[in-house]
Amino acid sequence: MNTTPQPDPRDRPARLTVGVVGAGRVGPALAASLQLAGHRPVAVSGVSDASRRRAAALLPDVPLMAPAEVLQRAELVLLTVPDDALPGLVSGLAETGAVRPGQLLVHTSGRYGARVLDPALRAGALPLALHPAMTFTGTPVDVQRLAGCSFGVTAPEELRLAAEALVIEMGGEPEWIAEDRRPLYHAALALGANHLVTLVAQSMELLRTAGVAAPDRMLGPLLGASLDNALRSGDAALTGPVARGDAGTVAAHIVELREHAPQAVAGYLAMARATADRALAHGLLKAELAEDLLGVLAEGRPGSSGPAGPTGTTGPDRSGGPAGSDGRQGPTASDGREGPVGFDGREGPTGPDGPTEPGHPDGTTGPDEGPTGPEGDAR
């Protein structure tokens, strides 16, 4: 056992005082993580009861104050507000003289790079964009989840090493994102993380309607295996009726969805078409089976008459028999930012955007009062 005394993180050189503007789900977690690395949180802004509770849980004894006062106290300031509120907040802080020369100003938006901080840059601040591709809960578990979390990093070239060092100190993995690729990067995370939540929630609702008592228990192993397969193998992991070209089964799905969950039809059709395109391109879906399948999907478009049902010419028997009658095996796997905070200290309405990100991964994955996802939106 190693009995050599370990240095106190607070004794490390170049330790910074840290402030948080926007005590949503992300800001306090990042500040708490920086505190573990030896930095010292000194101020946080937050007006809502939820923000105050979150700050008290993750940053005990750190005083709450207006954003301008946070900037007065801190050498490193985390701006963890929703994307749409960020430009106005930065401009307001710069115009009122709250920004100090040499101050590190970090935002956690996935959408924006460093240029959104240009007003603060002109005031002498050092601008960094550090977006954690993680969904946040607003609880201490978030600090643990930062270990190994990827961060989308954008900064002026001369600050790149400093930005990456801060991410590493928080236990994350820096991933450089060019300024002009930030919106695409953020869209990718939102597509994967935020839409995944919608798909899973819809699937659970449908299973309950079908009489399944514990849809979460049924979906857990299936979706876990699907996610693992997809991350490992990409399109090669596709299974199910669309990838097999089972037009009759897909037609039956559409009939049932129209009757029991009409709000899910548009999403099912859109994802089925995208799946068919990828399965065709990857050679999983045979061209001779794709024609009937795409016909069913076209007839199921909103505004069309849709499949006629099990006994109709466009129903499930269109493919020449029930799915599986040809002996093929059925599918084994299914293929916190806080609301706007004015620079004068007033907190605006909170919203559901988060990440999460992949928030907001998103949480946007973000630090608002609503759910997050890496858009995660991860905030």
Side-chain angles (χ1 to χ4, degrees):
M1 179 176 178
N2 184 5
T3 58
T4 304
Q6 299 299 308
D8 189 321
R10 292 170 295 183
D11 295 334
R12 297 174 187 169
R15 299 299 88 187
L16 301 169
T17 53
V18 180
V20 179
V21 176
R25 301 186 182 196
V26 168
L30 296 187
S33 182
L34 288 168
Q35 185 173 36
L36 292 176
H39 300 287
R40 185 165 61 93
V42 293
V44 58
S45 72
V47 177
S48 71
D49 290 340
S51 298
R52 292 175 179 273
R53 288 194 301 270
R54 193 176 293 118
L58 288 166
L59 301 172
D61 302 322
V62 176
L64 285 158
M65 53 189 58
E69 294 178 279
V70 173
L71 269 71
Q72 289 175 4
R73 291 196 172 201
E75 298 162 312
L76 167 62
V77 180
L78 303 174
L79 304 180
T80 51
V81 299
D83 293 349
D84 289 350
L86 182 60
L89 173 65
V90 174
S91 296
L93 291 170
E95 290 169 3
T96 57
V99 178
R100 294 184 286 111
Q103 192 169 47
L104 284 166
L105 215 55
V106 177
H107 78 71
T108 59
S109 166
R111 170 187 172 187
Y112 291 110
R115 287 178 191 155
V116 72
L117 298 173
D118 277 354
L121 173 65
R122 289 189 289 271
L126 306 178
L128 309 175
L130 307 180
H131 174 251
M134 177 56 64
T135 183
F136 288 79
T137 64
T139 65
V141 72
D142 295 333
V143 180
Q144 302 170 25
R145 287 179 174 174
L146 287 174
C149 167
S150 291
F151 279 66
V153 176
T154 306
E157 188 61 37
E158 61 272 20
L159 294 176
R160 178 169 179 168
L161 289 180
E164 292 176 344
L166 282 173
V167 170
I168 292 170
E169 284 195 313
M170 288 186 281
E173 297 286 342
E175 185 73 37
W176 185 258
I177 309 293
E179 179 81 31
D180 62 350
R181 294 302 176 94
R182 292 288 291 206
L184 179 61
Y185 152 80
H186 195 222
L189 295 181
L191 185 66
N194 300 159
H195 297 174
L196 176 62
V197 174
T198 300
L199 290 172
V200 173
Q202 284 188 335
S203 182
M204 288 199 294
E205 289 172 356
L206 292 170
L207 286 172
R208 289 190 191 96
T209 302
V212 175
D216 54 341
R217 188 170 65 229
M218 177 176 284
L219 286 173
L222 177 64
L223 298 185
S226 295
L227 177 59
D228 184 65
N229 291 342
L231 292 174
R232 291 172 183 271
S233 305
D235 289 328
L238 283 171
T239 65
V242 172
R244 290 196 305 267
D246 287 339
T249 298
V250 172
H253 290 176
I254 296 170
V255 169
E256 291 300 306
L257 290 174
R258 287 197 185 283
E259 179 178 353
H260 298 289
Q263 73 281 0
V265 172
Y268 179 95
L269 292 171
M271 291 304 299
R273 292 189 197 103
T275 300
D277 288 344
R278 301 189 75 89
L280 269 170
H282 202 74
L284 298 173
L285 175 59
K286 294 179 173 59
E288 60 269 24
L289 297 176
E291 184 177 356
D292 276 357
L293 174 66
L294 294 175
V296 167
L297 295 175
E299 291 164 0
R301 286 179 304 190
S304 70
S305 59
T311 59
T313 57
T314 59
D317 57 0
R318 173 177 180 156
S319 62
S325 62
D326 57 359
R328 287 177 293 171
Q329 184 180 3
T332 57
S334 174
D335 291 357
R337 289 163 306 194
E338 189 173 25
V341 180
F343 63 87
D344 59 356
R346 291 173 299 167
E347 182 178 4
T350 58
D353 174 68
T356 350
E357 55 47 136
H360 208 152
D362 334 6
T364 57
T365 291
D368 58 67
E369 305 296 354
T372 63
E375 282 152 15
D377 189 314
R379 281 143 308 168

